[in-house]
Amino acid sequence: MQRQPEFGTFFLPGPTEVRQEVLAAMLKPMIPHRSAAFEELFARLQVGLRDLFQTQRSVFLSASSGTGMMEAAIRAMPAGRILSLVNGAFSERFAHIAEMCGREVDRYEVPWGDVHTVEGLEPYLRAGKYRAITVTHSETSTGALNAVRTISDKAHELGVLCLIDSVSGLGGAELRFDEWQLDYVLTGSQKAIGLPPGLAFAVASDRVVSLANQATERGVYFDIVEMERFAKTNQVPATPAFSLLYALDVQLDAIRAEGVHARWDRHTAMAHLTSEWADTTAGVSNIVEPQFRSPTVSTIRLPDGMNGREFVKRVGASGITVGTGYGKLGDTTFRIGHMGDHTVETVARCLAACEGALSA
Ligand SMILES: *Cc1c(COP(=O)(O)O)cnc(C)c1O
């Protein structure tokens, strides 16, 4: 087998670095999925997943990447227009999914790096007859964090549902499904939860599940009504991705040992360290205003004339992987994913490598 490097070298904003113990868990043998053994595993995973989402409700498990549960969210919505809050590539993807699922979609767009405000949202909600809004919690293409609680509250005030993509948020950025009375939150395994890619998770409120019963084009694979029905007996509708669930089992134990709140604090500390470095290093700057920065990912603008992709290669030569800027930001920025099982110590090592590449 390939020798593993020491943990703390891989800082993509997804997939993030996975600990050896978690990778090793995937070597366990298969079990039949219509069995007491699976139901026991499912029930145990629910305990940890509910803690991550801060909910008492069932957490749906999907053998897909996060995008699958974005599509599930749209398909669960009964007829009506969708308003998509767009401030980067992933929030644009949510709008695109809604369109490709045959929905009428309007966009409330702000520049990349910005966040959405309730003042900006209100006129849209008053003007249109929307069934739901889509919003991205941590916009991974820029590192901006939307205040999903206040956005959701405003939507509810005006009778609109709020579908939240927290793929790079959940497990790293504070989110409390029950206390904040959220409608639908989805995430993926490979970002702040610190697992390999291939699993998606979502929670839907009771109201969303009953409304979904009236949605006529839910399809089959991403139908939350079926997921909810099966979850009641600790089951899933189709064959689960066992190997990834074994990895999840081990990771949820580690998350329980650390504590979800402590995990949020650790992510905040990593983001602060990264911000402080960018704010005090000549020639570089975080593209997001300090009060809107995500705890899990930062996009750093490089000095004029320094190419983003070449910079990432130079950092790579020192054994540290960082991300290129997303899409149109690729030439002028780079991204650091400080999420999952990274710590202020590993992030400090990453920043030292970036510092070295700046002066090389
Ligand atoms: C990574 C990401 C996605 C897409 O998730 P996949 O797992 O690649 O399908 C969607 N939204 C956000 C905010 C992301 O960071």
Side-chain angles (χ1 to χ4, degrees), residues 230-248:
F230 276 79
K232 287 199 161 72
T233 55
N234 291 320
Q235 275 289 347
V236 291
T239 314
F242 282 118
S243 310
L244 289 166
L245 295 185
Y246 297 150
L248 172 64

Side-chain angles (χ1 to χ4, degrees), residues 65-68 70 90 93 136 138-140 165 167-168 190-191:
S65 75
T67 303
M70 294 168 84
F90 291 103
R93 178 183 296 189
T136 301
S138 165
E139 178 43 89
T140 319
D165 166 0
V167 173
S168 73
Q190 79 278 23
K191 308 262 169 99

Side-chain angles (χ1 to χ4, degrees), residues 119-353:
E119 295 75 23
L121 175 62
E122 185 153 354
Y124 283 90
L125 292 180
R126 289 198 184 281
K129 294 242 182 303
Y130 297 109
R131 171 62 80 173
I133 63 172
T134 65
V135 60
T136 301
H137 188 199
S138 165
E139 178 43 89
T140 319
S141 62
T142 66
L145 188 80
N146 263 319
V148 290
R149 183 188 195 173
T150 54
I151 288 169
S152 170
D153 284 347
K154 178 54 74 179
H156 291 171
E157 193 187 308
L158 295 165
V160 179
L161 294 167
C162 180
L163 308 173
I164 300 172
D165 166 0
S166 190
V167 173
S168 73
L170 201 99
E174 180 182 8
L175 184 141
R176 302 167 189 265
F177 190 91
D178 289 355
E179 192 184 323
W180 296 1
Q181 299 181 293
L182 302 177
D183 297 314
Y184 183 100
V185 176
L186 74 109
T187 194
S189 52
Q190 79 278 23
K191 308 262 169 99
I193 298 177
L195 290 172
L199 289 178
F201 312 104
V203 177
S205 69
D206 206 24
R207 180 148 169 264
V208 165
V209 176
S210 48
L211 277 171
N213 274 296
Q214 303 163 24
T216 51
E217 291 178 26
R218 298 199 303 276
V220 172
Y221 197 64
F222 295 116
D223 179 5
I224 65 164
V225 174
E226 281 293 277
M227 292 184 201
E228 169 91 353
R229 194 165 71 79
F230 276 79
K232 287 199 161 72
T233 55
N234 291 320
Q235 275 289 347
V236 291
T239 314
F242 282 118
S243 310
L244 289 166
L245 295 185
Y246 297 150
L248 172 64
D249 200 13
V250 165
Q251 185 66 338
L252 287 175
D253 274 345
I255 291 171
R256 186 175 314 118
E258 181 181 19
V260 171
H261 295 235
R263 200 175 169 84
W264 295 339
D265 291 345
R266 175 166 55 78
H267 281 81
T268 301
M270 292 191 286
H272 279 161
L273 184 69
T274 306
S275 285
E276 194 177 80
W277 175 79
D279 292 346
T280 57
T281 301
V284 300
S285 58
N286 193 310
I287 69 161
V288 177
E289 291 297 316
Q291 68 274 31
F292 303 133
R293 290 177 189 165
S294 168
T296 64
V297 51
S298 298
T299 302
I300 313 288
R301 191 175 303 288
L302 287 161
D304 283 344
M306 193 178 282
N307 180 275
R309 296 171 221 280
E310 274 156 31
F311 174 81
V312 166
K313 271 190 212 147
R314 266 208 304 284
V315 176
S318 65
I320 297 285
T321 303
V322 292
T324 52
Y326 200 98
K328 60 189 176 188
L329 296 175
D331 285 339
T332 53
T333 71
F334 73 102
R335 289 178 302 157
I336 299 176
H338 31 76
M339 59 173 81
D341 290 325
H342 282 298
T343 61
V344 287
E345 288 76 29
T346 66
V347 172
R349 205 187 302 165
C350 172
L351 296 172

